[in-house]
Amino acid sequence: MTFRSQLKIRFGDIDRAGIVYYPRFMHYFHVALEEYFAGELGIEYHEVVETHRIGLPTVHLESDFSRPFSYGDNIEVEVSVLNVGRSSITFGYRVFKQGESDPRITGHNVTVCLDMDTFKKMEIPTWFRQQLEQQINMEKLCGSTRH
Amino acid sequence: MTFRSQLKIRFGDIDRAGIVYYPRFMHYFHVALEEYFAGELGIEYHEVVETHRIGLPTVHLESDFSRPFSYGDNIEVEVSVLNVGRSSITFGYRVFKQGESDPRITGHNVTVCLDMDTFKKMEIPTWFRQQLEQQINMEKLCGSTRH
Amino acid sequence: MTFRSQLKIRFGDIDRAGIVYYPRFMHYFHVALEEYFAGELGIEYHEVVETHRIGLPTVHLESDFSRPFSYGDNIEVEVSVLNVGRSSITFGYRVFKQGESDPRITGHNVTVCLDMDTFKKMEIPTWFRQQLEQQINMEKLCGSTRH
Amino acid sequence: MTFRSQLKIRFGDIDRAGIVYYPRFMHYFHVALEEYFAGELGIEYHEVVETHRIGLPTVHLESDFSRPFSYGDNIEVEVSVLNVGRSSITFGYRVFKQGESDPRITGHNVTVCLDMDTFKKMEIPTWFRQQLEQQINMEKLCGSTRH
């Protein structure tokens, strides 16, 4: 079973057209990612940033939206590690309306490990790489298919 | 010369890593799009939504980020029409730091024309299509190259 | 025991000074209020707006901030009904860092019942008033003191 | 003539009730304040934070909302210095719909000068105090009355 963050569409997330303002989904992606770090990777995202001084800026983003969400919807944002490179990590996201089996939104972002003190690209540290690769293996074992 | 919206990175746009929280760029894309409607297409975006009852939800989004922005940076968000289909419109974005010639961020989103009363996909109305295609032609004439 | 919504300070809530951007607290107030409706008043806030067509715009807001919050802090936002007038409702908020007994932020906002179809002020409907007054009585019974 | 920042209500600023989500006004206050620093006080807000290492967290906030704003409204946010204490500065805000003479929103926030390296309260430095007091005097001369 892959990790899912439980969120709810809020009053202020809605735009003039009565559906979720699409930039809010990138915020949901990030909130779910933060939950994923604490819940699955065993380290709080703020410790990665503040203790280990590692930043993870996004260098590429892609997302598909098949059906909109409305105010009050309970949603589940699934997070997974799709790829681990020398200094890059790709995270995948799928957003479900609670109770539905097909995601309404899918997406992924490529992030790059940055030394926060020099603002230079750095190799993923071993302790971090091991946890990320373990996640990939577990997700493979569970046979989940994600784009 | 293609349209550019002049914006400024604000205090609250910055995240814990000291750079712009990436979902804010999608908000900038949208703000620049709203400016583009008023300034280039000759119709306010809110009139499209409220008077013509046309929604333009995003169905696909892609973006590349090559260099980060910091608090206080003056930015220019270039907007263009990349493609006009039967009911879909693709808008392109390039974000420059003022004074630089290479964009730090590029992106595009595919939107679909929606009848706001039925929430069903609709063909782009003729008056709207004409204005969009005129923009594409003008941009071709000016020889701008954008992804 | 008064109602508390469990929230967490997110990566994107932080401003350039490294603490929570203060307008985000008004967003937390609203998120907690939405939770309060579902959890205590027995009606989802979106049903108030969408089914009953009642809006609750804020006409007055006051807040005191004694200590800042940092990224990653777990917070509890306490919500209570402070006053129920003919058409106005005053909600109180206290924000705690988890584990602390003194709130770091206190505040309240006066809202006015609005008929969403005419956008005119309306009397609070009886079913709603009863639930609100029941909350006030329960909070009095529990002897909580709040500003 | 007091300083006014020209802003526009954006698509994503609207909530489910079709009017501006009220926490967005605190964001507008801050954006206007940043403009005020650059335009009137002669120093960019980000230089105050980053070069002078002074933070200005809000310790008290009050605001009154008499009429709502809708999507597409052009607004003017007037900023003024209401009071300068030993280490505190009170800023006043009035939000007008363009063309109207009465503000729809008024408010003020009390901020405290913070040494960003020690996170301790500090006296307002002389160079900063002089500019703030000059503003108060100019505003008095112009006879503007603000709460």
Side-chain angles (χ1 to χ4, degrees):
Chain A
M1 186 56 195
T2 42
F3 177 81
R4 289 189 178 190
S5 177
Q6 313 292 319
L7 299 171
K8 192 165 183 170
I9 306 295
R10 298 297 177 183
F11 192 64
D13 295 337
I14 299 302
D15 63 25
R16 186 59 190 89
I19 58 173
V20 174
Y21 185 51
Y22 86 82
R24 292 300 288 173
F25 285 114
M26 275 77 239
H27 176 62
Y28 294 158
F29 284 0
H30 206 286
V31 168
L33 183 69
E34 294 173 53
E35 296 275 309
Y36 178 75
F37 268 71
E40 293 292 300
L41 294 183
I43 182 166
E44 295 266 351
Y45 194 86
H46 68 92
E47 289 177 59
V48 175
V49 176
E50 291 169 351
T51 312
H52 296 276
R53 308 285 304 150
I54 299 173
L56 290 171
T58 291
V59 295
H60 180 71
L61 169 71
E62 255 182 85
S63 193
D64 288 281
F65 309 78
S66 65
R67 292 179 62 195
F69 286 97
S70 305
Y71 177 40
D73 284 350
N74 289 298
I75 66 173
E76 299 183 350
V77 184
E78 190 182 274
V79 183
S80 57
V81 179
L82 297 186
N83 190 59
V84 181
R86 204 165 165 274
S87 61
S88 74
I89 310 161
T90 305
F91 296 101
Y93 310 91
R94 301 202 303 168
V95 187
F96 298 82
K97 183 166 172 167
Q98 216 174 64
E100 291 184 355
S101 55
D102 290 321
R104 295 188 173 199
I105 297 175
T106 57
H108 64 268
N109 68 334
V110 183
T111 64
V112 164
C113 263
L114 210 73
D115 181 320
M116 294 263 300
D117 293 315
T118 62
F119 263 82
K120 293 225 165 103
K121 201 159 79 172
M122 59 181 276
E123 271 190 63
I124 302 167
T126 311
W127 64 266
F128 191 21
R129 172 180 302 278
Q130 282 171 344
Q131 280 174 301
L132 293 163
E133 286 175 348
Q134 194 178 20
Q135 285 301 316
I136 293 190
N137 291 335
M138 275 175 54
E139 284 158 19
K140 271 186 193 147
L141 268 175
C142 299
S144 71
T145 53
R146 241 171 326 282
H147 107 113
Chain B
M1 186 56 199
T2 42
F3 177 82
R4 290 190 179 188
S5 178
Q6 313 292 320
L7 299 171
K8 193 166 181 167
I9 307 294
R10 297 299 178 183
F11 192 64
D13 294 339
I14 299 301
D15 62 24
R16 187 58 190 93
I19 58 173
V20 174
Y21 185 52
Y22 86 84
R24 292 299 288 172
F25 285 114
M26 277 74 238
H27 175 62
Y28 293 157
F29 285 1
H30 207 285
V31 168
L33 184 69
E34 295 173 55
E35 295 275 309
Y36 178 75
F37 268 72
E40 294 292 300
L41 295 182
I43 182 166
E44 295 265 353
Y45 195 87
H46 68 92
E47 289 177 59
V48 176
V49 176
E50 291 168 352
T51 312
H52 297 276
R53 307 286 304 151
I54 299 173
L56 290 170
T58 291
V59 295
H60 180 71
L61 169 71
E62 253 181 86
S63 194
D64 288 281
F65 308 77
S66 65
R67 289 179 64 194
F69 286 98
S70 305
Y71 175 41
D73 284 350
N74 288 297
I75 66 172
E76 299 184 350
V77 184
E78 191 182 275
V79 182
S80 58
V81 179
L82 297 186
N83 191 59
V84 180
R86 204 163 165 276
S87 61
S88 74
I89 311 162
T90 305
F91 296 101
Y93 310 91
R94 300 202 303 169
V95 187
F96 298 82
K97 183 166 173 169
Q98 216 174 65
E100 292 184 352
S101 54
D102 291 322
R104 294 187 173 201
I105 297 175
T106 58
H108 65 268
N109 67 333
V110 183
T111 65
V112 165
C113 262
L114 211 73
D115 182 320
M116 295 262 301
D117 294 315
T118 62
F119 263 82
K120 293 227 166 102
K121 201 157 80 170
M122 60 181 276
E123 270 189 65
I124 302 166
T126 311
W127 64 265
F128 192 21
R129 172 181 301 280
Q130 283 170 344
Q131 281 175 303
L132 292 163
E133 286 175 348
Q134 195 178 18
Q135 285 301 317
I136 292 191
N137 291 334
M138 275 175 56
E139 284 159 20
K140 271 185 194 147
L141 268 175
C142 299
S144 72
T145 51
R146 241 173 327 281
H147 109 115
Chain C
M1 187 55 198
T2 43
F3 177 81
R4 290 191 178 187
S5 178
Q6 312 293 320
L7 299 171
K8 193 166 182 169
I9 306 295
R10 298 298 179 183
F11 191 65
D13 294 338
I14 298 302
D15 63 24
R16 186 58 189 90
I19 57 173
V20 174
Y21 186 52
Y22 86 84
R24 294 298 288 172
F25 285 114
M26 276 75 239
H27 175 62
Y28 293 157
F29 284 0
H30 206 284
V31 168
L33 184 69
E34 296 173 52
E35 296 274 310
Y36 178 75
F37 268 71
E40 293 291 301
L41 295 182
I43 183 166
E44 294 265 352
Y45 195 87
H46 68 92
E47 289 177 60
V48 175
V49 176
E50 291 168 352
T51 312
H52 297 277
R53 307 287 301 149
I54 299 173
L56 290 170
T58 291
V59 295
H60 180 70
L61 169 70
E62 255 180 84
S63 194
D64 287 280
F65 308 78
S66 65
R67 290 178 63 194
F69 285 97
S70 305
Y71 176 41
D73 284 350
N74 288 297
I75 66 174
E76 300 183 350
V77 184
E78 190 183 276
V79 183
S80 57
V81 179
L82 297 186
N83 190 59
V84 181
R86 204 165 164 273
S87 60
S88 74
I89 310 162
T90 305
F91 296 100
Y93 310 90
R94 300 202 302 169
V95 187
F96 299 82
K97 182 165 173 169
Q98 217 174 62
E100 291 184 353
S101 54
D102 291 321
R104 294 188 173 199
I105 297 175
T106 58
H108 65 269
N109 68 334
V110 183
T111 65
V112 165
C113 261
L114 211 72
D115 181 320
M116 295 262 301
D117 293 315
T118 62
F119 262 83
K120 292 225 166 102
K121 202 158 79 171
M122 60 181 277
E123 270 189 65
I124 302 167
T126 311
W127 64 266
F128 192 20
R129 173 181 300 279
Q130 282 171 344
Q131 281 175 302
L132 292 164
E133 286 175 348
Q134 194 177 19
Q135 285 301 316
I136 292 190
N137 292 335
M138 275 175 55
E139 285 158 20
K140 270 185 195 148
L141 268 175
C142 301
S144 71
T145 53
R146 241 171 325 283
H147 108 113
Chain D
M1 187 53 198
T2 42
F3 177 82
R4 288 191 179 188
S5 177
Q6 312 292 320
L7 299 172
K8 193 166 183 170
I9 306 294
R10 298 298 178 184
F11 192 65
D13 294 338
I14 299 302
D15 62 24
R16 185 60 189 91
I19 58 172
V20 174
Y21 184 52
Y22 85 84
R24 292 300 287 174
F25 285 114
M26 274 76 237
H27 176 63
Y28 293 158
F29 284 1
H30 206 285
V31 168
L33 184 69
E34 295 174 53
E35 296 275 309
Y36 178 75
F37 268 72
E40 293 293 299
L41 294 182
I43 183 166
E44 296 265 352
Y45 195 87
H46 67 91
E47 289 177 59
V48 175
V49 176
E50 291 168 351
T51 312
H52 296 277
R53 308 287 302 151
I54 299 173
L56 290 170
T58 292
V59 294
H60 180 71
L61 169 71
E62 253 181 86
S63 194
D64 287 281
F65 308 77
S66 64
R67 292 179 61 195
F69 286 97
S70 304
Y71 177 41
D73 284 350
N74 288 297
I75 66 172
E76 299 184 351
V77 184
E78 191 182 276
V79 183
S80 58
V81 179
L82 296 186
N83 191 60
V84 181
R86 202 163 166 276
S87 60
S88 74
I89 309 163
T90 305
F91 297 100
Y93 309 90
R94 300 201 303 170
V95 187
F96 297 83
K97 182 165 173 170
Q98 216 173 65
E100 290 184 353
S101 54
D102 290 321
R104 295 188 173 200
I105 297 175
T106 57
H108 65 268
N109 68 333
V110 183
T111 64
V112 165
C113 262
L114 211 72
D115 180 320
M116 294 263 299
D117 294 314
T118 62
F119 263 83
K120 293 225 165 100
K121 200 157 79 171
M122 60 183 276
E123 271 189 65
I124 302 166
T126 311
W127 64 266
F128 192 21
R129 173 180 300 277
Q130 283 170 346
Q131 281 175 304
L132 293 163
E133 285 175 349
Q134 194 177 21
Q135 285 301 317
I136 293 190
N137 291 335
M138 276 175 54
E139 284 158 21
K140 271 186 194 148
L141 268 174
C142 300
S144 71
T145 52
R146 242 172 326 281
H147 107 114

